[in-house]
Amino acid sequence: MRIRDLPYPDPGDPDVRSGFRLMLWLWRSQLGGQLKALAWGTLHMAAVASFPLAVGMAVQAATERSGDRLVLAGALTVALGLAVTVGDTMLHRAAVTNWITAAARVQQLLARRTAELGAALTRRVAAGEVVAVSTGDIEKIGWFVEAVSRFGAASLTTAGVCTALVVYEPLLGVVVTLGVLVLVSAVLPLLPPATRRADAQRAKAGRATELAADTVAGLRVLRGIGGEELFLDRYRRASQEVRRAAVRTARMWSLIDAVQVVLPGLLLIAVVWLGTRLALDGRVAVGELVTVYGAVTFLLFPLRLFQEIAMAYSFSRPSAERAARVLGLRRLTRAGAARAGGGARLPHGDLYDPVSGLLAPAGDLTAVVCGDPDAAGRLAERLGGHGTGSGTDGPSVLLGGVALDDVPLEAARTAVLVQDKDPVLLSGTLGELLDVPSSGAVAPGRALEAAQCGDVLAALVRAGGAPDGDPMRARITERGRSLSGGQRQRLALARSLVADPQVLVLDEPTSAVDSHTEARVADALRRLRAGRTTVVFSSSPLLLDRADRVVFVSGGEVTAVGTHRELLADEPGYRAVVAREAGGDDDNDNDTDGTAGTGRVTAGTAGVRELRRHEQMEENA
């Protein structure tokens, strides 16, 4: 695989039983590139290791006044120089290719796993861990996978040089070989504590990053309550802990560096002293002594790679463990479930959840009232076939009598679309935002009109980000931060309407808009989705009154079904949630802000009064 051929047509099925197995699988997956780097690395280091031989030949030829041998030494030096140049250049190319392709493979696998699991991913693993894997971790993993081939070349060359020295000059060769073994064994005991210190530093750095992100995200609220200094003090303390951990880690690696400087120096001194004694005794020639000295000097270079591979492994191991945890997550399917997405027939019919007993008839607008917002979010995800995947979700949701877990993922997501209560707007133009896979039945203009986005379009044009006054070319900032909460909600709703799925599940789609806009959105939603199955999770009377049927869920199960007015009159628990009466629903016992469902601060029978005011407005009209 070459860099220009990325991405992979198929990144493969990784071995995620452990971080080490994942890195081993990555190494095997690019075996051709690894062998190429090993070959070029061996050529490069063997050529460098052979330079002392050419220098020794030249010195010996000069002492013996042999012109032929001096010419031969010069020719050998030129040949070795060319070999070093070619080997080093090609080794660099192969090593960088291995690094980038290994990182790209992990990133591609992570992107596929994220797309497969959807919102269920962040309920099974922290979002920060996913971000860490997709950024810094993949580089560390790629670093280790790439360094293995260079370490292999260094090991082969070191073994070859030691063997050659034993043959060339047995006494000096044995001394050098024993010295190399002592150097390696002296460093190995220092690696575990260095790894532990590096792990502790990364853990503290992750905590500091979380504090920083929380402080920035909640800065407006913190300023309102005067709490920014408290959070800043916490971040300062966390930052100092990271600094102290980094110093402890640096001390250990400095000790390892010192060992790898002092011990090779002592070995070099011992070899020079012993070689000089042998030369004075006439047991070795001057050229042979120069050759041995040069070979020992060369060995200092591959020995540095021993430290690099140890450092690369210590940094990449926890990164690989995190990557293996994320990549090991799977969409749970029952035995015999279909896997391929191409050509799968989309199921049609009623949407039914056997766990809660929720039934959404085909073609109807069904509203669901659930006193616990978190439970409502989990139920909405279940309806889309995106459970937690922990094996505790119970039987699969049925669409037209077909279990969504048995339907290929691509077909399931084409049939059912779930919009979260906090949808994300990706950066880009408005046209790009609405350019989503769709049936083509709903044009972006109709969707924007139904979602009451007229003021949003005007605001985007006024902001100056729309060339030629075309709002579809207006830029949306990251996550839509320049827009209000209500504007982001309506743009997200328009995007979902453009997709025009067979079943659309909306979780609190209008919780951040005013009542008049909400009423218009409810009417337009009912018209636009006529003949399509729509499920809306909400406790807003304006939405509930326009639904074909309303389902009340309490304690995770359906307890009442009817129209909004019927349930309002006959079901006290339903009335308590919709009217926001104190002590109404058991699921709301933990609410401390007086809110339920939509999160709006209301009290008493405010919801009922809001509905009556809207009815009066309709009569006057």
Side-chain angles (χ1 to χ4, degrees):
M1 171 63 71
R2 294 169 296 183
I3 295 177
R4 63 171 173 265
D5 296 328
L6 294 173
Y8 290 94
D10 180 13
D13 187 17
D15 186 347
V16 294
R17 288 176 290 177
S18 68
F20 176 77
R21 288 179 181 273
L22 174 62
M23 291 190 290
L24 182 61
W25 176 83
L26 286 170
W27 186 86
R28 291 199 309 265
S29 298
Q30 50 178 332
L31 186 58
Q34 293 291 341
L35 293 178
K36 186 184 297 183
L38 177 63
W40 288 120
T42 303
L43 172 64
H44 165 63
M45 294 185 186
V48 174
S50 300
F51 265 111
L53 177 62
V55 174
M57 289 178 57
V59 171
Q60 191 65 31
T63 57
E64 296 177 356
R65 299 182 181 277
S66 173
D68 294 339
R69 296 187 63 184
L70 188 61
V71 171
L72 179 61
L76 179 60
T77 302
V78 172
L80 291 176
L82 292 176
V84 168
T85 302
V86 174
D88 192 24
T89 302
M90 300 307 297
L91 170 63
H92 180 73
R93 288 172 58 90
V96 171
T97 299
N98 290 336
W99 187 336
I100 293 177
T101 52
R105 189 186 294 272
V106 176
Q107 194 169 46
Q108 196 170 340
L109 288 168
L110 180 65
R112 290 194 176 189
R113 189 68 68 243
T114 303
E116 176 184 341
L117 295 174
L121 175 64
T122 53
R123 287 200 296 269
R124 298 171 63 182
V125 64
E129 187 166 348
V130 179
V131 173
V133 173
S134 62
T135 52
D137 283 345
I138 60 172
E139 293 190 9
K140 295 184 180 69
I141 295 171
W143 174 28
F144 175 75
V145 172
E146 171 270 326
V148 169
S149 57
R150 291 189 291 110
F151 172 71
S155 300
L156 289 176
T157 307
T158 300
V161 169
C162 290
T163 302
L165 286 177
V166 171
V167 175
Y168 187 69
E169 180 52 52
L171 180 59
L172 289 176
V174 170
V175 171
V176 171
T177 301
L178 293 177
V180 170
L181 294 177
V182 170
L183 287 177
V184 175
S185 60
V187 172
L188 289 178
L190 300 177
L191 295 180
T195 301
R196 289 194 295 270
R197 293 190 181 191
D199 291 344
Q201 177 190 346
R202 281 189 289 270
K204 293 180 182 296
R207 173 58 180 162
T209 302
E210 291 178 2
L211 285 174
D214 290 343
T215 302
V216 172
L219 191 58
R220 182 180 300 177
V221 176
L222 291 175
R223 286 175 175 171
I225 62 176
E228 65 265 34
E229 283 300 325
L230 174 63
F231 272 76
L232 288 175
D233 287 339
R234 291 179 182 176
Y235 176 75
R236 290 189 188 101
R237 289 195 296 271
S239 178
Q240 290 303 311
E241 290 180 3
V242 174
R243 180 187 62 80
R244 288 190 288 269
V247 171
R248 289 194 294 270
T249 302
R251 285 173 179 168
M252 182 56 68
W253 287 113
S254 297
L255 177 59
I256 294 175
D257 283 336
V259 169
Q260 292 213 323
V261 170
V262 173
L263 293 185
L266 294 177
L267 174 62
L268 189 61
I269 292 173
V271 169
V272 171
W273 178 81
L274 179 59
T276 303
R277 295 291 301 271
L278 293 175
L280 292 175
D281 293 342
R283 297 171 58 183
V284 298
V286 176
E288 293 175 342
L289 178 61
V290 172
T291 299
V292 173
Y293 172 80
V296 174
T297 304
F298 159 77
L299 287 176
L300 302 183
F301 169 62
L303 286 176
R304 300 295 295 182
L305 291 178
F306 283 78
Q307 177 187 354
E308 181 187 354
I309 195 67
M311 183 181 295
Y313 180 73
S314 67
F315 277 90
S316 64
R317 182 186 55 79
S319 297
E321 293 290 347
R322 279 195 294 266
R325 282 197 299 271
V326 176
L327 295 178
L329 302 176
R330 292 291 189 274
R331 178 192 181 223
L332 295 186
T333 57
R334 301 187 301 182
R339 292 287 182 176
R345 186 180 65 86
L346 297 181
H348 294 273
D350 300 341
L351 183 67
Y352 175 67
D353 177 26
V355 175
S356 64
L358 172 63
L359 173 66
D364 285 355
L365 173 59
T366 301
V368 182
V369 176
C370 185
D372 183 359
D374 292 333
R378 291 192 295 271
L379 179 54
E381 291 295 335
R382 269 190 55 80
L383 293 180
H386 310 309
T388 62
S390 60
T392 61
D393 286 349
S396 171
V397 172
L398 306 178
L399 179 59
V402 179
L404 283 183
D405 283 352
D406 290 349
V407 178
L409 183 63
E410 182 180 347
R413 292 191 172 174
T414 301
V416 184
L417 172 64
V418 179
Q419 178 179 304
D420 294 335
K421 68 177 63 178
D422 186 22
V424 175
L425 302 183
L426 302 179
S427 59
T429 65
L430 180 58
E432 292 171 343
L433 177 69
L434 301 179
D435 185 16
V436 295
S438 65
S439 66
V442 180
R446 287 184 62 200
L448 291 168
E449 182 180 358
Q452 306 299 309
C453 294
D455 63 316
V456 184
L457 302 182
L460 291 174
V461 172
R462 286 197 303 271
D468 304 325
D470 183 5
M472 300 302 291
R473 299 175 62 188
R475 300 291 302 179
I476 305 294
T477 57
E478 180 188 3
R479 299 179 67 90
R481 297 188 187 279
S482 61
L483 303 173
S484 68
Q487 290 173 330
R488 288 195 298 270
Q489 270 192 342
R490 283 176 284 160
L491 284 180
L493 177 59
R495 179 177 58 188
S496 299
L497 294 176
V498 168
D500 190 37
Q502 179 189 155
V503 179
L504 177 60
V505 181
L506 303 172
D507 188 5
E508 296 290 357
T510 57
S511 60
V513 302
D514 62 85
S515 58
H516 296 288
T517 303
E518 185 178 41
R520 293 194 295 271
V521 169
D523 290 331
L525 179 65
R526 182 179 177 86
R527 290 193 301 269
L528 190 63
R529 292 287 300 172
R532 294 287 211 182
T533 306
T534 307
V535 181
V536 180
F537 285 79
S538 178
S539 59
S540 167
L542 297 176
L543 279 172
L544 299 175
D545 193 47
R546 286 158 174 78
D548 295 308
R549 67 199 306 265
V550 179
V551 178
F552 179 49
V553 178
S554 180
E557 296 181 354
V558 173
T559 58
V561 179
T563 66
H564 169 60
R565 296 168 191 269
E566 291 171 350
L567 295 179
L568 202 61
D570 302 334
E571 184 62 36
Y574 175 85
R575 183 169 56 249
V577 174
V578 174
R580 283 80 163 182
E581 294 178 354
D585 189 81
D586 292 340
D587 292 335
N588 271 332
D589 289 345
N590 294 329
D591 288 342
T592 59
D593 59 355
T595 66
T598 61
R600 298 170 187 164
V601 181
T602 57
T605 59
V608 178
R609 290 199 301 270
E610 183 181 24
L611 175 61
R612 289 174 179 171
R613 282 199 303 271
H614 185 70
E615 291 173 347
Q616 186 64 43
M617 290 171 58
E618 289 181 338
E619 292 174 1
N620 294 338

